[in-house]
Amino acid sequence: MMHGCKKILHIDLEIYSDVDLAEAGLYRYVESPVFEILLVQYAFDSGPVLVADLASGDVFPEDVRAALSDPETVKVAHNCAFERACLHQALGVYMPPEEWQDTMVLCAMSGLPQSLDAAGAALGLERQKIKEGVSLISYFCKPCKPTISNGGRTRNLPHHAPDKWSRFRAYGLRDVEVERAIYDRLGSFPVPEWEQRVRCLDARINERGVGVDVDLAEAAVAVNDAAVGAYAAELRKLTGLDNPNSVAQLKGWLEVVGLPVDSLNKATVADLLATTSDPVIRRVLSLRALMGKTSVKKYNAMLAAASPNDSRLRGMMQYYGAGRTGRWAGRIVQPQNLPQNHLDDIGDVRELVRERDLDTLGLLFDSVPDVLSQLIRTALVAQNGGTFLVADYSAIEARVIAYLAGEKWRMDVFAQGGDIYCSSASQMFHVPVVKHGVNGHLRQKGKIAELACGYGGGVAALRAFGADKMGLSEEEMSQIVTNWRAASPTIPKFWRDAEKAAKKALENPGRVFRLPCGAAYRKDSDALRLRLPSGRVLSYWAARLDDDGSIVFMAQNQTTRKWEKAETWGGKLVENIVQAYARDCLAVAMLRLEEAGFRICFSVHDELICEEPVGGRPWEEMARIMGLPIEWAPGLLLRADGYQTKFYMKD
């Protein structure tokens, strides 16, 4: 990753905009008419960190401007998408992602936190990010509330608080120092050439964006407001309460009618509906459930982020969002967790919403908020008369784990186009299982076993996938785990091999310990590294063997965001390998599709969505390219299925 004798520009910007960056995203943020660069903090190579105070009258530094346009100068920033978008907006010059390096990505690749302050703390850098920065950004970079004491102004300028501005300048300078220290520490991290191209492709996909049906989104918000208003009016009539949406008031009413409750969460309301027969109480609870369904939050996010120039939403994907495996994460509307759609005649239902026909919607459906929730995907649309080509890998994790573990019967199932859930159940119970046919009732047990058991999961994992709700007893679940492992013995062996190799690497720093699948562990001075057959490296920072012999490492808790000790084991190590391997297959397919002229708009798990012009190619051509062999995965059978649609949905 280090760039030899090339000049390096480390750069960080402080920006003013009246658009909420977290809510509307980067690309809408820079489109604000009042967007302005306040400070340019920068350093060349190991030279002093300098600041150009544009807000106080400095001009944009000519040497920085020249370096930004020089392909031989490496530009480095933390979350460089921000600097690239802001500089493009301010200078009117597009800056190719190939010329930039991102210390946030380097942190993710090393298993470190991705925020600058947390990464600096985890690395124990001598100079840390200044904590006061959050309040200073709030003061200078965002609109302020007009008050009598501030003279009714809506923006704070440097002369309004010279001492704060001085500290703000110091904060920006420190950010460059921290970013440069991270780059000096991590800049030599090995990144395959093809992965560098994936990073740059991701940048261009985010810049391309995807169309939003603004009319549908606005109509959905209006229909939801009208429906919730109608539900609230009916609740007031039934209960006599002033504010039936108040949890305290409704709990009081339920106590009066003989149903005292501690909570009115979704689970409690569902339990009450299952146990009470009084029609009035049931209707009140049903209305409460309807009002509690959040169906427009993502519509509002789309409307906030869509560009007023072309109604496209940009910046929806986060490259290396999952630091352990490198998989993509979603931003703004979080496409990875959009509600599924199961509506018949979904196009007609969309039109009813676009026409804001609440009466017809109320006649056709029990829950208007649920309808709006199912239509969220469809607000993402192909523009200019084009169409979406949607294709996703069929059972890719099941294919990859069978391939890497060498479980032949599983690979044969995929080679013959079989149903892995039926085949798994057949292997487990030693009887033929056919979907909708002989012993078809066993397919569901095969499915939950596949989902729960592949990475070492047991009864608790089965329960998490709903096995207990299917009526399975503890004993039956335990037997399913036993049967599944017995039917695929090479996969439990894969777990054991991975854990053994990782432990040997920790005991013997510097030595390489290979797995039969071609992946290899090695411990260096910073982390336990796993090199995948693709050449990409996964990291477990500060990994070691704990006192009890278990594998522990440092990681950011995804709930508390704290940097703390985490534990891993064979099944979890294999999960990381399989998911990272599947991710790399998807990444190779993305490169191939772009080279073939397909325009990827976004991805969702193992699915790609391309926008094809009128008269363009069919989805089958896209799926064919996704199924092509990969050099570092000889013999892996990849298959993609797909469909064509004017608006995004689950087929």
Side-chain angles (χ1 to χ4, degrees):
M1 180 80 77
M2 289 296 245
H3 296 274
C5 59
K6 281 191 175 183
K7 182 190 289 186
I8 297 176
L9 169 65
H10 298 272
I11 188 167
D12 180 69
L13 305 174
E14 306 303 338
I15 304 295
Y16 177 83
S17 175
D18 60 355
V19 172
D20 188 309
L21 179 61
E23 177 183 300
L26 169 60
Y27 297 90
R28 183 68 187 85
Y29 174 83
V30 303
E31 285 183 333
S32 165
V34 297
F35 165 87
E36 178 187 349
I37 296 180
L38 305 177
L39 297 171
V40 181
Q41 296 99 196
Y42 64 99
F44 286 99
D45 301 318
S46 58
V49 181
L50 305 174
V51 59
D53 188 342
L54 275 58
S56 300
D58 289 353
V59 298
F60 198 96
E62 282 304 318
D63 54 349
V64 174
R65 189 188 297 268
L68 291 170
S69 300
D70 176 16
E72 295 304 309
T73 298
V74 179
K75 279 69 76 172
V76 181
H78 198 83
N79 185 20
C80 72
F82 181 85
E83 273 70 24
R84 289 182 58 248
C86 291
L87 290 166
H88 183 203
Q89 181 72 16
L91 304 180
V93 178
Y94 181 76
M95 297 170 191
E98 289 81 1
E99 297 176 14
W100 287 72
Q101 290 297 334
D102 193 333
T103 49
M104 186 176 77
V105 170
L106 292 177
C107 288
M109 289 178 169
S110 276
L112 291 162
Q114 296 191 29
S115 68
L116 191 64
D117 56 344
L123 285 167
L125 299 181
E126 183 179 345
R127 297 174 73 80
Q128 299 283 333
K129 185 178 175 76
I130 296 174
K131 300 294 184 184
E132 192 185 2
V134 173
S135 62
L136 293 171
I137 287 173
S138 181
Y139 188 82
F140 288 114
C141 299
K142 302 175 182 180
C144 65
K145 185 177 181 180
T147 64
I148 294 175
S149 62
N150 72 10
R153 69 174 183 265
T154 58
R155 179 178 174 183
N156 296 315
L157 296 169
H159 68 268
H160 292 132
D163 288 347
K164 282 188 177 182
W165 185 253
S166 178
R167 295 198 299 275
F168 191 41
R169 286 171 52 124
Y171 158 80
L173 291 172
R174 178 65 62 82
D175 273 7
V176 176
E177 292 175 341
V178 174
E179 173 262 297
R180 181 166 60 181
I182 291 174
Y183 186 74
D184 289 344
R185 179 75 179 273
L186 304 178
S188 60
F189 188 87
V191 182
E193 182 274 336
W194 70 268
E195 182 63 32
Q196 295 277 26
R197 291 192 287 127
V198 171
R199 178 180 64 84
C200 297
L201 171 58
D202 169 84
R204 289 190 166 88
I205 291 171
N206 272 322
E207 291 162 2
R208 178 180 299 152
V210 62
V212 172
D213 187 335
V214 173
D215 290 343
L216 175 67
E218 290 177 342
V221 173
V223 167
N224 183 76
D225 290 346
V228 170
Y231 298 151
E234 187 180 351
L235 266 175
R236 281 192 290 270
K237 185 176 180 181
L238 290 172
T239 63
L241 298 174
D242 293 331
N243 180 16
N245 203 32
S246 162
V247 172
Q249 288 188 29
L250 194 53
K251 283 168 67 175
W253 183 85
L254 287 169
E255 187 170 354
V256 169
V257 298
L259 281 178
V261 293
D262 296 325
S263 167
L264 279 175
N265 61 29
K266 184 177 179 180
T268 301
V269 171
D271 288 344
L272 290 173
L273 279 167
T275 55
T276 185
S277 58
D278 183 281
V280 173
I281 296 175
R282 287 184 61 80
R283 181 57 180 164
V284 167
L285 292 170
S286 297
L287 289 167
R288 168 68 191 177
L290 288 170
M291 291 180 68
K293 187 169 183 63
T294 56
S295 57
V296 297
K297 185 177 180 181
K298 289 183 184 288
Y299 288 114
N300 283 323
M302 290 180 189
L303 291 170
S307 169
N309 300 320
D310 59 7
S311 299
R312 289 184 83 84
L313 190 163
R314 295 175 171 85
M316 197 163 62
M317 305 306 303
Q318 177 65 54
Y319 172 74
Y320 240 93
R324 196 75 53 234
T325 62
R327 298 176 87 178
W328 275 266
R331 294 293 179 262
I332 306 175
V333 300
Q334 299 288 350
Q336 278 83 351
N337 63 5
L338 292 174
Q340 290 194 0
N341 54 266
H342 303 285
L343 296 168
D344 294 328
D345 303 316
I346 193 168
D348 294 335
V349 179
R350 284 180 90 252
E351 290 308 309
L352 288 173
V353 173
R354 285 169 63 88
E355 294 165 6
R356 309 189 184 203
D357 189 346
L358 179 59
D359 290 340
T360 302
L361 288 166
L363 286 171
L364 293 175
F365 302 101
D366 293 333
S367 170
V368 172
D370 180 64
V371 170
L372 298 177
S373 181
Q374 292 194 55
L375 290 180
I376 289 171
R377 291 173 183 267
T378 74
L380 300 175
V381 295
Q383 293 181 329
N384 303 316
T387 187
F388 282 145
L389 307 183
V390 183
D392 75 319
Y393 280 123
S394 171
I396 188 170
E397 284 191 36
R399 290 170 183 266
V400 167
I401 196 170
Y403 169 78
L404 295 177
E407 191 61 70
K408 187 175 184 307
W409 73 262
R410 289 174 165 271
M411 291 188 284
D412 290 343
V413 170
F414 293 121
Q416 296 159 12
D419 183 312
I420 190 61
Y421 302 142
C422 288
S423 297
S424 182
S426 182
Q427 288 286 123
M428 289 163 57
F429 301 110
H430 308 293
V431 294
V433 178
V434 179
K435 187 176 182 180
H436 306 311
V438 61
N439 297 313
H441 65 286
L442 294 176
R443 182 181 184 272
Q444 187 63 21
K445 293 183 179 180
K447 181 174 183 177
I448 64 167
E450 287 297 303
L451 296 173
C453 299
Y455 303 127
V459 170
L462 284 169
R463 197 178 289 115
F465 281 100
D468 52 338
K469 293 181 174 61
M470 290 172 55
L472 293 172
S473 67
E474 192 91 1
E475 183 179 351
E476 287 174 311
M477 287 188 278
S478 180
Q479 191 61 49
I480 284 176
V481 173
T482 300
N483 290 351
W484 190 92
R485 294 181 181 183
S488 299
T490 66
I491 294 178
K493 182 178 183 298
F494 190 9
W495 309 333
R496 295 190 296 271
D497 288 346
E499 184 167 330
K500 181 179 178 181
K503 287 183 174 180
K504 281 188 172 293
L506 291 172
E507 292 168 341
N508 299 274
R511 288 183 57 190
V512 175
F513 292 87
R514 300 188 184 281
L515 293 170
C517 67
Y521 288 101
R522 179 179 176 273
K523 172 72 168 68
D524 62 25
S525 58
D526 287 326
L528 174 66
R529 313 288 189 182
L530 171 75
R531 189 180 190 278
L532 295 164
S534 66
R536 193 161 64 91
V537 175
L538 309 186
S539 302
Y540 301 83
W541 193 263
R544 60 181 174 84
L545 293 178
D546 215 353
D547 294 339
D548 62 357
S550 62
I551 301 170
V552 295
F553 61 101
M554 296 300 293
Q556 189 170 51
N557 186 300
Q558 295 304 300
T559 302
T560 65
R561 314 307 294 172
K562 289 183 179 178
W563 182 243
E564 61 189 26
K565 185 172 77 171
E567 184 179 350
T568 191
W569 54 93
K572 194 68 177 175
L573 291 169
V574 166
E575 181 182 40
N576 292 167
I577 293 170
V578 170
Q579 291 185 350
Y581 201 102
R583 177 269 188 202
D584 287 356
C585 292
L586 185 75
V588 168
M590 291 168 69
L591 292 173
R592 288 172 170 174
L593 287 168
E594 285 283 331
E595 288 168 0
F598 287 92
R599 290 168 51 85
I600 302 169
C601 291
F602 62 102
S603 65
V604 179
H605 301 303
D606 303 310
E607 177 182 76
L608 295 173
I609 299 88
C610 295
E611 191 171 28
E612 190 72 3
V614 177
R617 292 160 291 187
W619 70 262
E620 287 87 351
E621 175 61 12
M622 179 180 168
R624 183 191 69 79
I625 292 173
M626 291 175 68
L628 291 174
I630 296 174
E631 181 182 2
W632 42 260
L636 174 62
L637 297 174
L638 293 172
R639 177 185 165 188
D641 294 314
Y643 55 97
Q644 186 169 320
T645 178
K646 293 289 186 181
F647 45 79
Y648 182 52
M649 62 177 182
K650 293 303 286 184
D651 190 33

